[in-house]
Amino acid sequence: MRQLYSGPPSMNSVSSAQECTVSSGRPTMMEEDHKVINQGQEDEMEISGYRMCRWKLFLVGLGAVGTGGFLLLPLYWMPHWLLRATCSRATIGDADMVLLRTTDEFKRWFRARVQWMLAPGKKPFNKLDSQTAVTNGHSKHDPIGMQPSQHLVEIRYFTLHSTTYFWNDMIQNFEVLKGLEDLNVTCSAIHSEHSAGLTKHMQDYRRLFFGVNEIDVKVPSVFKLLIKEVLNPFYIFQFFSVILWGFEEYYYYAAAIVFMSLVSIATSLYTIKKQYVMLHDMVASHSVVRVSVVRANNEIEEMMSTDLVPGDVMIIPNNGAIMPCDAVLVSGTCIVNESMLTGESVPVTKTNLPNPGQGLMGLEVDAVYSTEEQKRHTLFCGTLVIQTRFYSGELVKAVVVRTGFSTAKGQLVRSILYPKPTDFKLYHDAYLFLLCLVGVAAIGFIYSIVLSILNKVPARTIITESLDIITITVPPALPAAMTAGIVYAQRRLKHIGIFCISPQRINICGQLNLVCFDKTGTLTEDGLDLWGIQRAESGSFCLSEVNVCQETLVTSPFVVCMATCHSLTNINGQLSGDPLDLKMFEATGWLLQEATEEETSLHNQITPTVVRPPRQVLPQPATPPEHEMELNELSLSYEIGILRQFPFSSALQRMSVVARRLGEKHMDAYLKGAPEVVASLCRRETVPGNFSQVLENYTKLGFRVIALAHRHLESRLTWHKMQNISRDLVENNMEFLGLIIMQNKLKAETPMVLEQLRHANIRSVMVTGDNILTAVSVARDCGMIPPQDRVIIAEALPPADGQPARIEWHYMDEPGLHDSDAAPFEVVQIGMGEEDPDPDEDLKPLEHYHFAMSGKSFTVVTEHFQDLVYKLLLRGTVFARMTPDQKTQLVELLQSVDYFVGMCGDGANDCGALKRAHSGISLSELEASVASPFTSKIPNISCVPNLIREGRAALITSFCVFKFMALYSMIQYISVTLLYSMLSNLGDFQFLFIDVAIILLIVFTMSLNPAWKELVSRRPPSGLISGPLLFSVLTQILVSLGFQMLVFLWVRHQSWYEKWTPSSNACNSSSIASLSVHNTNVTYDPYDKNIRNYENTSVFFVSCFQYLIVAIVFSKGKPFRQPSYKNWLFLLSACMLYIFLLFIMLNPVPAIDKFLDIVCIPFQWRMTLLVIILLNTGMSVLIEVRILTSISSQHLTTLEVTLRKNRTRGC
């Protein structure tokens, strides 16, 4: 739609060449024109402007033509090279193109074309002239879009990653328009200014800026995917190699490589296409639906959801619907299934946004609307509205806040479409290693050129053979070989119920040394059991009770609070809602029913939910005076209507309701939530003096404790005032009612899994929204904190009353420890000091302490005690009362201390942390978990050690394969270089046999070793650039070089040696007379490339065995993989190749020798080769098994001590 206005503005009459000249003369201005967009956000980027330069473009065109188009490839791969080569710098405000670079550690480059449109205003929320009529980007009267009298302005914008950035003259930068929140609109303003609906003209105008309301996941055509895949540098290199092999007439090998490439490309295209289709289908269900909207003249109009814009008022149908956008409720109540966002399929009640402007006495705070802060009033895109409730005669209305990719689901889809690259040392080192191979190839390239010139070789041969050295040194099959181990690991994970959407993360799982666990639903069961209650009366606790359904308690405020303060609802005749609410309500024995319209008007309520106890348990009243009989008969039913609900907020850690008993004139408020929070909102005299001690006793035993409170509201509070009253005015001056004690049982697998992780030296950390003492108790029960270890609670207090922020340290068993005791404890006992010279001494006291802190303390520490953050993280085991954002922040901080962090949660509030962790494992299969790299079908944490084991196996497989492929290229490089010295080479079928029959077969079978059955305390190395790995590769290269040179030189000193010709007969034994005849009958080929000679045959045999030797010594098993002898395919392949090579070496077969260009050699020399091969085998095994194992153990020990020392000293 924006393109309908596109066209060249009048200011663009200046030629590009002139623009280049002007730009080149103002470098200082250009250097200063450096802006940042999305500042402070995850996708923060630096932006710079460019304008097209004709003479630069002309030069690039000439270069492309001169290089046959190859110049365009690096420009395609490097967007910043392309813009700098074809454009000149310009201010962002005048740019035709923009260059963007992420500010994270990856420093990725992107480019985008700046477009423009004509519109009657610069801002989407500007008021239009009443005469202006915009219809699909055009005026009703003017074909170019507006009436002639209407002033049009130019709007500049660009699109990147499904996000549109508009130019803002005020800030002189581009910015994202997200929706109604851009106005910083208050809650009252949404009711007063945005709840009446938009005119059709205003809707069309806003759509120019916000676009079509659709999360459009375009499935690319196979042709587009093919072009993108083929332009990968790896396939370009293969294309170059195949052309070269064609010139050298290596047709069979070239055909084999082409076949492998086609299979690889087809597999990749199928996988990518399948992922796009899956994502497209995921969002298609709500992308295009019919909706009803309210127009500014109160008319209701049906339209397609794609036409919605922020500010539209849509009507939520009675029978529910899937939300096509993010919208805030302004009237009515909805029951919503938000499993798409939270991973939790529990229905959630959404109430209408309070209107502080109509509140009681106008004392309410009129907060700025935010989807995060007011999420209990916001319907999110993709969520399912199950039911709606409304006051008689009114409609359930919602104001559209965000559309398209700006919605919550749009952001989720964007994170999948445009993921961050995987940051792993292995991949960085692999590129460095490839550069080293390229350097080696360059040496061989120069060597072959010099040697060929000295021997007066034809120019064509010089070029082909020199370039061939490069294709030998950098093996084309390397990426496919490196991927094999990951593919096999992914298949094994799928077999045990773990699904992966980011295969590259499997390798990273092998490095995990810390795992964060959510508590409820992850370490413990989802459901809660009611253990008992402890009521409070007159400021003191009563004895604890088990049975709530007592006649003496049934109408008490405590039980009424349990029966009313919840968000339960009847769906298809079944009570649904939060499991805690469900258990609590079921314990009362009360009944819940959704009211009819007649009952709704009787209660005059907008949320017509009625609860009542069973009649048989009601106490019988005394006979009242005659004039009160009618009222008493009404009271006998004891029905309570829930008039207003303030939903549970994880930030506030509480929920409340306003209710009224049928027949009563006043209303009551009931509150439940975290005990500390509820107690702070109650009158001091109603809170028992031993509240803290009783609460601590329960939480230490691992119980989950909920506190209840009650308050009589003023009789002058009418229903209309109650609908707009702020919850802060209701939730204060309460009367403390008591405690509900819930029992949350550990899952049976939890202690065993945590024990496995502890033995593997993998830290376990609990990150929960529960009470800190309950969390610590559960941590002890499951073994996360050993019984003999002590727990120190770090309580950080923010600045108050002119006092700076401070931290108080408390032993959990000694809550009276004062701040004065903290200093020596901090420095001497806990090892917080900076000057401990011995890391071992520094670590010993730490072995027995664990820190625990709440989310509030965590925020204070990160803001005011930066120097202590990392030190607390190193021994922090329990983080309680953590919000979803704090969980994500904790994961980031742990990663900054060089931990490889895993996160395991049920998806409810863990989505951000699951995405941010190196390895996020969701125990929920619902749609929200699609953002998590791993999803487990088994709903317990037994998936964690399984994933780590497979990750370690895949990582070791990657190392083995990389080392093998490096040795393969170097062994072949040595062979070819030696043969080049005598103007010989390996034959076409020799290359084919080595690369296909040996290398591919070995690579794809050596990757099949399953993971070792248990986790060990050692971790595999994380990178290729390490002492043991380099020692292994270099020594094996030297061994291979030594034995090949020995054979190459020794064969020339044999008594039977002569320059081989077709008539040569070095085989003077009768056993090989047939071969001699065969050799004699060979016709001389004038185009022979000197392939058939004694040096070639000797080097070929030795090198073939060397490939198998290094494959076996590199294919390690325990302690990360199963032994190679259990990998029967690899064992069978290696044995068959050994037997075949020994057979053709010791017992020549004419047909095979002819096929492989092998010449006949004496039996004595064959036996000599066998001895050399055995010596080669023995030396390689000795180096890899004995010497390298010793070096690796010492290296790992030193590395671990150094790493722990660095962490302990606060990084």
Side-chain angles (χ1 to χ4, degrees):
M1 178 173 303
R2 300 187 181 99
Q3 283 72 12
L4 294 175
Y5 276 104
S6 297
S10 57
M11 67 178 68
N12 285 355
S13 57
V14 183
S15 69
S16 298
Q18 291 174 326
E19 293 162 359
C20 293
T21 305
V22 173
S23 298
S24 61
R26 298 165 57 188
T28 306
M29 180 195 72
M30 300 310 171
E31 290 170 3
E32 292 177 352
D33 186 40
H34 193 73
K35 303 283 187 179
V36 175
I37 59 174
N38 304 325
Q39 194 159 12
Q41 300 178 30
E42 187 178 356
D43 53 350
E44 180 180 279
M45 291 179 285
E46 297 172 349
I47 181 173
S48 52
Y50 288 84
R51 291 184 75 86
M52 193 64 68
C53 182
R54 288 183 179 176
W55 65 266
K56 283 188 176 184
L57 192 62
F58 177 74
L59 290 179
V60 170
L62 283 180
V65 172
T67 58
F70 279 99
L71 177 63
L72 299 178
L73 288 174
L75 298 183
Y76 170 77
W77 296 327
M78 304 289 184
H80 52 298
W81 289 7
L82 175 62
L83 286 191
R84 290 167 183 170
T86 59
C87 303
S88 295
R89 286 292 303 270
T91 59
I92 302 174
D94 297 328
D96 297 327
M97 304 284 293
V98 289
L99 181 64
L100 303 107
R101 188 180 72 163
T102 60
T103 57
D104 56 18
E105 66 273 23
F106 303 105
K107 306 297 181 186
R108 292 170 296 160
W109 294 92
F110 304 100
R111 63 182 177 90
R113 181 178 297 277
V114 178
Q115 298 175 288
W116 60 274
M117 64 179 178
L118 297 177
K122 286 195 172 184
K123 298 290 183 181
F125 299 106
N126 288 352
K127 293 187 180 297
L128 284 179
D129 186 353
S130 59
Q131 299 298 317
T132 302
V134 183
T135 305
N136 292 328
H138 294 276
S139 168
K140 291 182 178 179
H141 308 289
D142 193 320
I144 66 167
M146 308 305 302
Q147 292 188 14
S149 60
Q150 178 66 40
H151 175 66
L152 300 179
V153 293
E154 179 187 319
I155 308 295
R156 305 176 70 251
Y157 67 93
F158 69 88
T159 302
L160 180 71
H161 292 169
S162 302
T163 301
T164 304
Y165 297 81
F166 288 88
W167 177 255
N168 187 328
D169 285 328
M170 297 291 293
I171 62 174
Q172 286 293 296
N173 200 359
F174 287 94
E175 63 177 357
V176 180
L177 298 178
K178 295 181 178 178
L180 211 57
E181 289 174 288
D182 295 335
L183 290 175
N184 291 325
V185 61
T186 60
C187 296
S188 61
I190 288 180
H191 283 278
S192 60
E193 300 174 16
H194 299 278
S195 61
L198 300 176
T199 63
K200 186 69 168 59
H201 303 153
M202 181 59 74
Q203 186 188 57
D204 291 336
Y205 170 64
R206 289 189 183 179
R207 200 177 302 116
L208 294 175
F209 295 89
F210 295 107
V212 175
N213 174 36
E214 186 177 12
I215 303 174
D216 187 16
V217 180
K218 295 180 179 177
V219 180
S221 65
V222 174
F223 178 75
K224 284 185 178 180
L225 289 175
L226 178 64
I227 294 298
K228 188 175 181 180
E229 189 74 12
V230 167
L231 290 180
N232 184 292
F234 162 65
Y235 290 117
I236 296 297
F237 177 69
Q238 280 196 335
F239 176 71
F240 160 77
S241 301
V242 167
I243 292 176
L244 179 64
W245 294 329
F247 280 116
E248 294 186 319
E249 299 179 4
Y250 293 163
Y251 299 124
Y252 297 103
Y253 182 55
I257 291 296
V258 168
F259 175 75
M260 285 193 308
S261 300
L262 291 176
V263 171
S264 177
I265 291 172
T267 304
S268 179
L269 292 184
Y270 172 77
T271 304
I272 296 172
K273 183 88 171 179
K274 183 179 178 182
Q275 289 176 346
Y276 270 109
V277 170
M278 182 185 70
L279 194 58
H280 177 270
D281 293 344
M282 186 183 85
V283 300
S285 59
H286 61 83
S287 289
V288 183
V289 294
R290 294 201 69 83
V291 295
S292 297
V293 296
V294 179
R295 290 297 181 202
N297 54 6
N298 285 328
E299 290 183 0
I300 297 176
E301 178 183 319
E302 276 202 1
M303 57 188 290
M304 300 305 297
S305 60
T306 50
D307 293 332
L308 289 173
V309 296
D312 270 327
V313 178
M314 62 181 296
I315 297 172
I316 312 299
N318 299 341
N319 56 350
I322 296 178
M323 288 299 297
C325 59
D326 289 351
V328 57
L329 271 174
V330 290
S331 66
T333 304
C334 294
I335 310 298
V336 182
N337 183 335
E338 289 190 327
S339 60
M340 184 282 301
L341 286 179
T342 65
E344 198 169 20
S345 57
V346 174
V348 179
T349 301
K350 300 283 187 174
T351 59
N352 62 298
L353 184 72
N355 186 0
Q358 298 181 3
L360 185 65
M361 297 181 293
L363 298 178
E364 299 81 358
V365 177
D366 193 5
V368 173
Y369 172 78
S370 163
T371 52
E372 181 61 31
E373 295 296 326
Q374 277 81 27
K375 61 183 177 183
R376 285 294 183 174
H377 311 295
T378 305
L379 304 173
F380 292 101
C381 179
T383 58
L384 175 63
V385 179
I386 303 171
Q387 285 183 0
T388 61
R389 298 178 185 171
F390 51 92
Y391 181 62
S392 182
E394 289 193 6
L395 297 172
V396 180
K397 299 178 185 178
V399 177
V400 177
V401 178
R402 293 180 176 184
T403 57
F405 278 98
S406 295
T407 62
K409 183 158 188 175
Q411 295 296 322
L412 177 66
V413 173
R414 280 186 71 244
S415 69
I416 300 170
L417 282 174
Y418 314 105
K420 268 193 170 185
T422 305
D423 183 23
F424 192 36
K425 195 171 185 292
L426 170 66
Y427 305 124
H428 293 292
D429 291 354
Y431 287 122
L432 290 176
F433 208 93
L434 280 176
L435 287 176
C436 293
L437 291 180
V438 171
V440 173
I443 296 172
F445 179 80
I446 296 170
Y447 165 77
S448 63
I449 290 178
V450 172
L451 192 66
S452 299
I453 292 174
L454 292 177
N455 288 277
K456 299 180 180 180
V457 176
R460 180 179 181 275
T461 306
I462 294 176
I463 294 172
T464 55
E465 292 190 349
S466 301
L467 292 175
D468 195 33
I469 283 283
I470 298 175
T471 66
I472 290 170
T473 312
V474 184
L478 180 61
M482 291 284 287
T483 308
I486 297 174
V487 171
Y488 295 145
Q490 187 176 10
R491 189 176 64 184
R492 290 193 297 268
L493 286 172
K494 186 176 181 181
H495 183 69
I496 59 176
I498 301 174
F499 297 91
C500 174
I501 63 169
S502 182
Q504 295 300 325
R505 298 220 180 201
I506 295 177
N507 271 342
I508 303 179
C509 293
Q511 279 292 304
L512 293 184
N513 54 0
L514 184 147
V515 183
C516 297
F517 293 97
D518 183 33
K519 184 179 78 70
T520 307
T522 303
L523 297 174
T524 62
E525 300 287 353
D526 279 318
L528 293 167
D529 296 321
L530 182 67
W531 183 85
I533 63 172
Q534 186 141 14
R535 295 183 297 115
E537 292 181 355
S538 304
S540 62
F541 279 116
C542 305
L543 294 175
S544 61
E545 301 163 276
V546 177
N547 186 16
V548 181
C549 300
Q550 303 176 37
E551 187 175 321
T552 55
L553 297 179
V554 71
T555 59
S556 66
F558 189 96
V559 174
V560 172
C561 183
M562 290 179 65
T564 57
C565 195
H566 54 71
S567 57
L568 301 178
T569 183
N570 270 318
I571 299 176
N572 299 325
Q574 184 175 1
L575 208 58
S576 301
D578 186 271
L580 186 148
D581 289 348
L582 206 55
K583 285 284 183 183
M584 187 177 68
F585 184 77
E586 288 173 350
T588 65
W590 283 43
L591 305 175
L592 179 144
Q593 64 184 57
E594 309 288 350
T596 62
E597 284 198 21
E598 291 78 8
E599 291 170 323
T600 299
S601 58
L602 176 65
H603 285 286
N604 199 27
Q605 60 184 6
I606 196 168
T607 309
T609 301
V610 176
V611 294
R612 58 180 175 80
R615 298 180 187 274
Q616 61 269 23
V617 299
L618 281 171
Q620 297 298 320
T623 304
E626 194 171 302
H627 66 278
E628 294 182 1
M629 282 296 293
E630 184 179 348
L631 181 60
N632 182 67
E633 288 173 1
L634 189 62
S635 301
L636 275 176
S637 63
Y638 206 85
E639 291 186 349
I640 296 177
I642 302 173
L643 309 181
R644 176 79 188 277
Q645 184 184 102
F646 297 101
F648 176 79
S649 165
S650 57
L652 299 176
Q653 299 176 4
R654 64 182 187 265
M655 78 162 291
S656 61
V657 296
V658 177
R660 184 173 67 185
R661 179 182 166 187
L662 190 64
E664 293 283 355
K665 293 184 178 180
H666 69 274
M667 301 177 189
D668 294 276
Y670 296 97
L671 171 74
K672 75 168 184 186
E676 308 93 331
V677 174
V678 172
S680 68
L681 298 173
C682 294
R683 299 193 304 273
R684 186 179 296 272
E685 65 273 12
T686 66
V687 180
N690 60 341
F691 166 79
S692 299
Q693 182 180 352
V694 171
L695 174 61
E696 186 176 342
N697 290 338
Y698 283 123
T699 53
K700 280 183 179 179
L701 295 173
F703 292 113
R704 184 170 183 181
V705 183
I706 306 295
L708 305 182
H710 164 255
R711 174 189 173 187
H712 289 295
L713 298 177
E714 296 82 354
S715 57
R716 62 191 178 90
L717 181 64
T718 64
W719 178 85
H720 288 287
K721 289 181 178 179
M722 179 270 299
Q723 287 303 313
N724 296 295
I725 194 171
S726 166
R727 70 185 298 168
D728 293 331
L729 292 180
V730 173
E731 296 172 348
N732 67 71
N733 202 30
M734 309 287 285
E735 176 189 355
F736 188 80
L737 295 178
L739 304 173
I740 301 175
I741 299 95
M742 313 289 287
Q743 189 174 22
N744 194 199
K745 297 178 181 178
L746 281 175
K747 291 182 178 179
E749 302 81 6
T750 297
M752 177 186 65
V753 171
L754 294 179
E755 182 68 13
Q756 287 183 45
L757 297 179
R758 189 173 67 83
H759 280 299
N761 282 339
I762 297 173
R763 271 187 67 188
S764 299
V765 173
M766 184 187 295
V767 190
T768 178
D770 208 343
N771 176 277
I772 188 169
L773 298 180
T774 301
V776 170
S777 175
V778 172
R780 284 198 182 277
D781 291 343
C782 67
M784 191 175 287
I785 299 176
Q788 69 275 13
D789 290 4
R790 306 190 72 177
V791 177
I792 302 157
I793 295 178
E795 185 180 358
L797 305 174
D801 301 326
Q803 297 296 319
R806 69 183 193 277
I807 301 180
E808 295 182 353
W809 311 95
H810 303 285
Y811 287 104
M812 184 170 169
D813 299 326
E814 300 175 17
L817 188 69
H818 296 292
D819 190 48
S820 59
D821 301 314
F825 165 72
E826 176 186 346
V827 176
V828 180
Q829 294 183 328
I830 304 184
M832 286 290 190
E834 296 284 347
E835 300 179 357
D836 289 345
D838 188 354
D840 294 328
E841 290 298 322
D842 196 37
L843 291 170
K844 282 176 184 175
L846 281 171
E847 300 291 347
H848 308 292
Y849 292 96
H850 300 261
F851 287 117
M853 69 174 68
S854 66
K856 290 181 179 178
S857 296
F858 178 76
T859 300
V860 174
V861 168
T862 53
E863 289 180 1
H864 301 283
F865 299 96
Q866 296 286 340
D867 55 329
L868 289 180
V869 170
Y870 298 115
K871 298 175 183 178
L872 289 170
L873 289 176
L874 295 178
R875 299 305 295 179
T877 302
V878 174
F879 296 85
R881 298 294 190 208
M882 298 284 280
T883 64
D885 289 340
Q886 287 175 329
K887 290 181 180 182
T888 305
Q889 186 183 4
L890 175 64
V891 168
E892 291 175 340
L893 288 172
L894 288 168
Q895 289 172 332
S896 69
V897 198
D898 293 332
Y899 277 113
F900 283 88
V901 182
M903 175 72 198
C904 183
D906 58 2
N909 290 309
D910 309 316
C911 286
L914 288 170
K915 285 168 56 181
R916 190 57 55 86
H918 288 110
S919 171
I921 314 159
S922 173
L923 302 185
S924 168
E925 294 185 73
L926 297 171
E927 196 173 338
S929 64
V930 74
S932 176
F934 300 94
T935 304
S936 174
K937 263 191 172 182
I938 305 169
N940 60 62
I941 64 171
S942 63
C943 60
V944 175
N946 289 334
L947 182 59
I948 296 175
R949 288 191 305 108
E950 290 295 347
R952 289 182 173 185
L955 184 56
I956 288 298
T957 298
S958 295
F959 284 130
C960 293
V961 169
F962 197 94
K963 287 165 62 178
F964 174 70
M965 293 299 289
L967 259 295
Y968 147 64
S969 64
M970 292 309 299
I971 290 171
Q972 197 170 83
Y973 173 79
I974 293 168
S975 301
V976 171
T977 305
L978 288 173
L979 294 174
Y980 271 12
S981 67
M982 55 176 291
L983 301 182
S984 180
N985 199 353
L986 292 174
D988 191 1
F989 289 102
Q990 287 177 338
F991 276 122
L992 191 66
F993 176 77
I994 292 171
D995 293 330
V996 177
I998 296 180
I999 302 304
L1000 292 184
L1001 187 61
I1002 291 297
V1003 160
F1004 290 113
T1005 55
M1006 77 184 296
S1007 304
L1008 286 170
N1009 289 41
W1012 185 243
K1013 55 189 175 184
E1014 61 185 34
L1015 283 176
V1016 296
S1017 57
R1018 279 177 53 198
R1019 283 190 302 146
S1022 60
L1024 291 166
I1025 311 300
S1026 65
L1029 276 167
L1030 290 177
F1031 176 82
S1032 172
V1033 172
L1034 292 176
T1035 51
Q1036 295 296 344
I1037 290 174
L1038 291 175
V1039 169
S1040 300
L1041 173 64
F1043 281 101
Q1044 282 199 49
M1045 287 188 67
L1046 174 65
V1047 169
F1048 181 78
L1049 297 176
W1050 198 2
V1051 71
R1052 294 184 172 185
H1053 290 83
Q1054 299 303 306
S1055 58
W1056 48 266
Y1057 176 81
E1058 63 178 358
K1059 185 175 180 182
W1060 188 91
T1061 64
S1063 60
S1064 296
N1065 183 15
C1067 308
N1068 51 14
S1069 173
S1070 60
S1071 63
I1072 51 173
S1074 60
L1075 181 61
S1076 302
V1077 174
H1078 162 69
N1079 281 342
T1080 305
N1081 294 333
V1082 174
T1083 305
Y1084 179 72
D1085 183 3
Y1087 298 100
D1088 184 68
K1089 299 179 180 179
N1090 192 24
I1091 301 299
R1092 297 166 62 86
N1093 53 64
Y1094 298 120
E1095 291 89 345
N1096 172 286
T1097 300
S1098 301
V1099 168
F1100 172 74
F1101 278 130
V1102 171
S1103 65
C1104 284
F1105 279 102
Q1106 284 180 339
Y1107 298 129
L1108 296 177
I1109 291 167
V1110 294
I1112 291 173
V1113 297
F1114 285 162
S1115 185
K1116 294 183 178 178
K1118 188 178 177 181
F1120 303 118
R1121 301 198 306 168
Q1122 295 282 358
S1124 293
Y1125 62 79
K1126 290 191 176 182
N1127 182 355
W1128 64 269
L1129 273 177
F1130 173 70
L1131 193 64
L1132 182 63
S1133 302
C1135 289
M1136 288 177 61
L1137 286 169
Y1138 264 117
I1139 293 170
F1140 175 76
L1141 287 171
L1142 285 171
F1143 176 75
I1144 65 172
M1145 186 176 77
L1146 300 178
N1147 186 34
V1149 178
I1152 295 176
D1153 287 354
K1154 180 181 179 182
F1155 179 78
L1156 292 176
D1157 291 322
I1158 296 173
V1159 301
C1160 178
I1161 52 177
F1163 183 77
Q1164 182 183 357
W1165 180 243
R1166 283 181 255 135
M1167 295 307 295
T1168 304
L1169 289 179
L1170 180 60
V1171 172
I1172 292 173
I1173 289 164
L1174 291 174
L1175 288 173
N1176 190 346
T1177 304
M1179 188 171 291
S1180 295
V1181 172
L1182 177 66
I1183 291 172
E1184 194 71 20
V1185 175
R1186 295 292 183 187
I1187 301 175
L1188 185 64
T1189 302
S1190 175
I1191 293 175
S1192 297
S1193 300
Q1194 294 177 5
H1195 177 78
L1196 284 173
T1197 303
T1198 305
L1199 191 63
E1200 288 294 331
V1201 170
T1202 304
L1203 191 57
R1204 293 174 71 187
K1205 180 178 178 180
N1206 290 340
R1207 287 178 182 153
T1208 306
R1209 296 188 184 284
C1211 300

